[in-house]
Amino acid sequence: MILEYVWLDGYTPEPNLRSKIKVKAKDEKPFALHMDAPAWSFDGSSTRQAEGKSSDCILEPVSEYKGFNGINKIVFSQVKNPDNTPHISNYRQHCKPKEQNEWWFCFEQEYFLYEKDRPLGWPYRGYPKPQGEYYCGVGPDCVAGRKVAEEHLHTCLNAGIDIRGINAEVALGQWEYQCFGKGLKAADDLWVSRYILQKVAERYNVKVVWDPKPIAGDWNGSGLHLNFSNKQMRDIGGKDYINHLCESLKNDHNPIKVASDYGSDNDLRLTGLHETQSIDSFSYGEYDRGASIRIPIATIDSGYRGRLEDRRPASNADPYRVLSYLLSSIE
Ligand code: MG
């Protein structure tokens, strides 16, 4: 069986994804009963996770996905020290949605595709026509990179990741997909979906750019809008409860954390323009895309039952840190 292990390295402010392949021997024991993959190790001195003198780090499998291109399974793993304690770079260890609250999350992952040093579809010199016709557009003047976005969609669905949709975004060469999951697995799935996107992009010789504001000026940045709900929001809801949650988030809004836990350079994106609220302010509003927290129309129409959308996270954010900060404000 061919297993592709995927993990997060020790780079800061955001980690990179790493992978290596193991051909599993017949007598190797899996890490857990419901898995195929055994625990494994890697050279942490090459990923900023260990010194050369004692460089082994442990890969502890946390979730498995169907592989592609001849790989049987993708094995997403968290990094541990040789003594089996969580590695300092492992933010997953701090992310613990309370199970009784039954949290559901849907990340709206935006990204740019680049060819060499410029967004896909952009002219060699200068700029394409201004924003306006690109969002959900069609035709070679209005979209670039559709093959990558669609192949990524199919590959993720086949892997067992619950992608709920994709669309061309507001800037040329910019795309979005929506990735749904429950509890901590939502963040695991988002990391694996990012891995798959980069591997698909390799096939087309294009680069995925996760920066929240890759192009200065009148061009949209990329976010990681987070739709979230717990059992009480879905089953009972009510205007008072929804407003109470929004007030809790307001009281805990911290521009420094929003520029770190919610993605580095997020301050360049959250300017108050381009469908964002300024990082120094906090607001919530009914179907307001210029707010920090949007109360979607579907939630209002259901009698204030359903989800909220946190529009602050940036495209490059580590979802474990996003969920940790969000839940520390409201759980
Ligand atoms: Mg979007």
Side-chain angles (χ1 to χ4, degrees):
M1 178 174 276
I2 302 175
L3 304 171
E4 183 172 30
Y5 285 67
V6 175
W7 72 96
L8 299 168
D9 69 15
Y11 278 61
T12 57
E14 278 83 31
N16 303 295
L17 287 151
R18 305 281 181 134
S19 73
K20 62 174 184 165
I21 287 174
K22 177 184 189 65
V23 181
K24 186 190 170 199
K26 284 202 175 70
D27 58 353
E28 281 188 273
K29 296 266 184 301
F31 173 73
L33 273 181
H34 61 285
M35 288 185 165
D36 284 311
W40 205 16
S41 61
F42 68 98
D43 169 15
S45 71
S46 298
T47 59
R48 296 193 182 166
Q49 282 161 311
E51 300 290 334
K53 288 176 288 189
S54 80
S55 64
D56 271 3
C57 288
I58 307 299
L59 291 174
E60 182 179 289
V62 295
S63 46
E64 294 180 338
Y65 304 81
K66 198 170 169 218
F68 58 106
N69 292 349
I71 305 289
N72 297 110
K73 286 205 169 174
I74 296 171
V75 181
F76 189 59
S77 303
Q78 64 176 340
V79 176
K80 292 202 152 180
N81 299 307
D83 65 1
N84 216 31
T85 53
H87 191 273
I88 190 170
S89 65
N90 176 353
Y91 278 94
R92 191 179 190 274
Q93 65 181 307
H94 309 297
C95 184
K96 296 187 173 88
K98 284 184 187 146
E99 273 185 28
Q100 70 269 23
N101 290 337
E102 295 182 32
W103 287 102
W104 294 0
F105 303 105
C106 189
F107 292 100
E108 300 178 16
Q109 176 71 65
E110 294 179 336
Y111 61 96
F112 274 86
L113 293 173
Y114 267 53
E115 187 178 33
K116 298 201 172 76
D117 58 350
R118 61 187 183 277
L120 207 58
W122 285 44
Y124 185 65
R125 283 202 177 84
Y127 294 89
K129 61 187 174 184
Q131 290 184 167
E133 294 175 69
Y134 304 128
Y135 171 73
C136 300
V138 65
D141 291 347
C142 291
V143 287
R146 191 188 296 278
K147 270 188 189 169
V148 175
E150 291 187 354
E151 190 172 320
H152 171 251
L153 166 69
H154 294 302
T155 311
C156 282
L157 290 175
N158 198 42
I161 296 174
D162 198 353
I163 303 289
R164 294 292 174 94
I166 67 170
N167 59 270
E169 262 303 336
V170 174
L172 183 60
Q174 188 189 29
W175 288 84
E176 171 182 313
Y177 63 91
Q178 298 102 36
C179 188
F180 176 83
K182 295 180 179 178
L184 181 55
K185 191 165 186 302
D188 296 339
D189 289 2
L190 184 72
W191 273 119
V192 176
S193 75
R194 287 175 173 178
Y195 177 77
I196 291 173
L197 179 58
Q198 283 175 283
K199 242 188 127 174
V200 169
E202 267 180 26
R203 287 160 62 94
Y204 293 91
N205 208 20
V206 296
K207 187 169 119 183
V208 182
V209 169
W210 306 105
D211 297 15
K213 188 69 179 176
I215 308 141
D218 212 7
W219 298 93
N220 272 46
S222 298
L224 181 69
H225 299 159
L226 173 58
N227 296 275
F228 61 94
S229 66
N230 62 22
K231 194 166 164 39
Q232 186 174 349
M233 293 165 75
R234 292 189 297 273
D235 294 352
I236 304 165
K239 194 169 185 177
D240 288 349
Y241 181 54
I242 293 292
N243 283 339
H244 160 74
L245 292 173
C246 291
E247 286 292 325
S248 302
L249 288 162
K250 182 180 176 180
N251 291 336
D252 213 29
H253 179 79
N254 176 342
I256 294 166
K257 278 181 91 69
V258 174
S260 54
D261 291 26
Y262 272 19
S264 58
D265 289 336
N266 204 10
D267 51 324
L268 303 179
R269 166 183 159 262
L270 296 178
T271 57
L273 302 172
H274 305 110
E275 304 175 76
T276 70
Q277 173 57 283
S278 160
I279 196 165
D280 294 319
S281 307
F282 182 96
S283 64
Y284 56 94
E286 300 187 348
Y287 34 89
D288 181 357
R289 285 186 159 74
S292 316
I293 303 290
R294 179 171 72 102
I295 308 172
I297 192 161
T299 301
I300 297 162
D301 286 351
S302 309
Y304 289 85
R305 249 199 313 263
R307 67 193 162 89
L308 288 172
E309 181 192 29
D310 188 348
R311 297 179 60 80
R312 296 171 296 171
S315 47
N316 59 351
D318 177 344
Y320 299 128
R321 294 177 68 177
V322 172
L323 296 191
S324 296
Y325 180 30
L326 177 79
L327 297 177
S328 71
S329 304
I330 54 180
E331 259 195 346

